[in-house]
Amino acid sequence: VQLVESGGGSVHSGQTLRLSCTASGTTSDDYAVAWFRQVSGQGREGISCISMKDGSVYYAQIAKGRFTISRDTNSATVYLQIKDLKPEDTAVYRCAADHVACQRVGATPAAYDYWGPGTQVTVSS
């Protein structure tokens, strides 16, 4: 499975971004896609995941309220919308996928073997 993220950029506080993660290299929809973010020098922080098969979702505590995950099965794309962006949201956002049950493993980095390169989000005040 190959993953490519897009949609990052430099924005001001309060704005909204929608990140995209497009998967290729698989004909099955029996996999989960998760979003993580990482600040330089720190570990990966899990945000959310979604099952491509049935759309069930999981949100980490940090994501509840401003983050929304969704999917388009026709294009094998998973979206992460972030509202009311804050400077502390500045990070590289990466998506990951694997043949796992999203609601069982959540956004746990070790549960996912396939990773995209990431897209930078920079939020200025």
Side-chain angles (χ1 to χ4, degrees), residues 53-89:
K53 189 169 187 177
D54 64 14
S56 57
V57 301
Y58 161 88
Y59 288 100
Q61 189 61 39
I62 63 151
K64 294 180 180 178
R66 297 190 297 119
F67 294 74
T68 304
I69 194 168
S70 61
R71 80 197 197 292
D72 179 346
T73 54
N74 290 328
S75 62
T77 299
V78 171
Y79 302 99
L80 182 71
Q81 179 176 280
I82 315 171
K83 298 187 297 185
D84 190 22
L85 279 154
K86 306 175 188 302
E88 51 264 41
D89 293 321

Side-chain angles (χ1 to χ4, degrees), residues 14-81:
Q15 290 187 296
T16 297
L17 274 180
R18 189 177 76 159
L19 308 180
S20 301
C21 170
T22 300
S24 61
T26 179
T27 57
S28 168
D29 64 355
D30 192 14
Y31 61 98
V33 175
W35 280 98
F36 301 83
R37 66 185 184 185
Q38 187 167 21
V39 176
S40 180
Q42 298 182 20
R44 288 168 292 187
E45 182 176 42
I47 299 170
S48 182
C49 67
I50 188 167
S51 165
M52 295 301 284
K53 189 169 187 177
D54 64 14
S56 57
V57 301
Y58 161 88
Y59 288 100
Q61 189 61 39
I62 63 151
K64 294 180 180 178
R66 297 190 297 119
F67 294 74
T68 304
I69 194 168
S70 61
R71 80 197 197 292
D72 179 346
T73 54
N74 290 328
S75 62
T77 299
V78 171
Y79 302 99
L80 182 71
Q81 179 176 280

Side-chain angles (χ1 to χ4, degrees), residues 104-115:
R104 180 174 63 83
V105 303
T108 304
Y112 298 87
D113 282 340
Y114 305 98
W115 290 79

